[in-house]
Amino acid sequence: MAVIVFCAMTALYLEASWPTYRQVLGTWGVRAWPWPFLDTDTVLSAARCLREGADVYAFNPCDPEARTYGYSPLWMVLAWFPVTIGWIPWVGLAFFALFVFALWLLPAGRNRDAVILIIIGLLSSATILAVERGNNDLVNFALVAGMAALMGRSQAARLAGYAMGLLAGLLKFYPMLVMLNALRERPGRFFAITAVSIVVTLLAAAVTWHDLVRTWMIVPQGSPIYEMFGAPNFGKGLVVLFHLPPPVGSILRGVMTLAALAIGIRYGLRPATGAAMTQLSVRERDFLLIGALMTIGCFMSAQNISYRTINLLLVLPSLTALRIVDAPRALRAMALVAIGLLWAELLFHWIQAFAAIAGGTLGTVLEFGVGWLGREIAWWWMVTLMIACATALIRPLGMVDFALGLRRQPASTRA
């Protein structure tokens, strides 16, 4: 299905006029650029200019939008190769191919309704935007999906999975949270994986430290009202809408983050939540845990453009399964909310259209009270329940039991 839609988009771009292409993508809630794979060229243009001696972390003259390079310095190994503009469509297609392969790894829907919901999620505005831009989050998606698929296999396969998760973390930082999956291992193997991961991360940081620090200093920030999601959005949005002092936004972010962690962990430790997780298959649990950690890391770390919502596709099959097992009502509702968030940009555009028609106070209430505030509430609700799911799935893992067992044993027994 993803391949068919992509082929249709390609044919439309090649054969139709630019206004038609833009209009069709606009019906998905996607703002199209005059050329595809814009974000693919973010990386490739930086590699081209870096080869020519430009400081792409300060200014990237090779980028068509003059954007400074703000991704992991590890992507700049591409500067070792003779990168040209002609690479853009081929690298963009390679990113898409990895994404499609990763979709094949997702757990299958349990029934017809589940399959329909998964397809609706796959065809969402977030997916179309990620593919049209050719963003490197497609690569991270493929890496962590591969990791999830390997977690239920042999020890050697799991080691390969941890390597994929570590690489995803080194390439985009927030996926590093998926390394919590190593808690499933026995103590000796867990400590070995942790030690190797720390050494590799420190080595990568040491080699790229100068550029790494600069990357952190230029993390892009956007409007908290439009096209972005993340923990900073709610507080920043209130600051913008009500002209509050900027520190209010930071305080609200901290308070809401602590509240989400406290509520999510407590909900995840409830027996009913744990019992619901046991009714999922091993593959569904593995994808739910890794997808939840990706979503939490993405949301909590910074503002994000809406294409990163594709991380919800990792958990969508598992969430559709929770709809048909004996699970708390909130967990059963997660699949529908996830689909709403995947389509959030289009829904927000519709609300804006109605607000423009209504005008006045009603229009303002529709756009910001229903559209913006509704989206923010949905995201915080979803992330809180993702924390609950991750807590329920991590609690039975081997290293957690080992740590709790050591804490409970008398000192003489441990000696």
Side-chain angles (χ1 to χ4, degrees):
M1 179 66 71
V3 175
I4 293 173
V5 172
F6 180 78
C7 290
M9 289 171 56
T10 303
L12 182 66
Y13 177 79
L14 294 175
E15 301 297 333
S17 64
W18 157 243
T20 302
Y21 175 78
R22 182 177 182 178
Q23 183 178 5
V24 170
L25 263 65
T27 62
W28 254 298
V30 174
R31 182 165 58 95
W33 293 82
W35 57 89
F37 302 142
L38 176 71
D39 289 352
T40 302
D41 196 34
T42 300
V43 176
L44 297 183
S45 65
R48 294 196 303 272
C49 265
L50 191 62
R51 281 176 59 85
E52 297 173 6
D55 183 3
V56 296
Y57 298 93
F59 175 65
N60 180 11
C62 295
D63 186 83
E65 297 294 311
R67 296 168 295 177
T68 55
Y69 178 73
Y71 293 130
S72 167
L74 290 181
W75 282 103
M76 288 300 95
V77 299
L78 290 169
W80 299 348
F81 301 94
V83 179
T84 66
I85 294 177
W87 283 42
I88 297 173
W90 299 109
V91 175
L93 287 170
F95 285 2
F96 172 72
L98 286 172
F99 178 64
V100 171
F101 176 74
L103 295 178
W104 282 102
L105 298 177
L106 297 178
R110 291 194 178 191
N111 55 28
R112 184 182 63 181
D113 290 345
V115 171
I116 291 173
L117 289 176
I118 293 169
I119 291 175
I120 292 173
L122 290 177
L123 298 180
S124 65
S125 51
T127 306
I128 298 300
L129 178 61
V131 171
E132 202 272 340
R133 291 280 185 92
N135 191 269
N136 56 27
D137 271 288
L138 298 175
V139 177
N140 288 322
F141 184 96
L143 287 170
V144 299
M147 178 185 182
L150 293 172
M151 286 298 100
R153 298 185 178 273
S154 66
Q155 292 181 354
R158 292 202 302 276
L159 288 178
Y162 295 130
M164 296 169 73
L166 180 60
L167 177 58
L170 293 174
L171 290 176
K172 203 110 183 197
F173 310 135
Y174 76 83
M176 196 64 77
L177 201 59
V178 302
M179 295 305 291
L180 285 175
N181 275 268
L183 290 168
R184 71 179 65 230
E185 303 294 340
R186 293 181 178 180
R189 182 176 289 267
F190 168 78
F191 289 121
I193 292 169
T194 302
V196 171
S197 300
I198 291 173
V199 169
V200 171
T201 302
L202 291 177
L203 181 61
V207 171
T208 63
W209 183 254
H210 179 260
D211 293 334
L212 185 62
V213 172
R214 299 171 74 199
T215 298
W216 287 338
M217 297 297 291
I218 58 174
V219 173
Q221 298 186 21
S223 167
I225 309 298
Y226 306 106
E227 295 185 345
M228 306 287 282
F229 73 93
N233 258 24
F234 183 72
K236 285 187 174 183
L238 292 181
V239 168
V240 170
L241 293 174
F242 296 101
H243 308 289
L244 302 174
V248 172
S250 299
I251 293 171
L252 280 174
R253 177 185 181 181
V255 170
M256 294 183 72
T257 298
L258 291 175
L261 289 170
I263 296 170
I265 291 172
R266 182 172 182 178
Y267 196 86
L269 293 176
R270 290 178 56 188
T273 305
M277 297 300 119
T278 63
Q279 298 176 67
L280 301 178
S281 68
V282 172
R283 195 176 188 85
E284 288 169 342
R285 290 197 296 270
D286 289 339
F287 270 88
L288 178 55
L289 177 55
I290 285 180
L293 293 173
M294 285 287 286
T295 304
I296 295 165
C298 177
F299 182 84
M300 291 297 187
S301 60
Q303 285 184 298
N304 305 273
I305 298 177
S306 59
Y307 52 68
R308 286 187 187 165
T309 311
I310 61 171
N311 287 316
L312 291 176
L313 296 177
L314 293 165
V315 302
L316 189 54
S318 305
L319 299 184
T320 61
L322 287 174
R323 283 171 50 83
I324 59 177
V325 302
D326 184 15
R329 184 179 302 175
L331 299 184
R332 294 201 303 269
M334 288 179 72
L336 295 180
V337 176
I339 289 175
L341 291 172
L342 284 162
W343 285 92
E345 283 308 305
L346 178 59
L347 295 175
F348 193 64
H349 288 173
W350 286 351
I351 292 172
Q352 284 182 300
F354 285 119
I357 295 172
T361 303
L362 179 58
T364 301
V365 170
L366 284 174
E367 182 171 2
F368 301 108
V370 176
W372 175 76
L373 184 60
R375 184 190 65 198
E376 294 304 308
I377 291 173
W379 264 115
W380 279 101
W381 183 89
M382 175 62 72
V383 169
T384 301
L385 287 179
M386 287 290 185
I387 294 170
C389 290
T391 300
L393 291 167
I394 288 173
R395 172 59 189 85
L397 297 183
M399 273 304 300
V400 178
D401 284 337
F402 174 78
L404 292 175
L406 282 181
R407 187 180 67 182
R408 291 169 181 165
Q409 289 178 12
S412 59
T413 303
R414 295 199 299 267

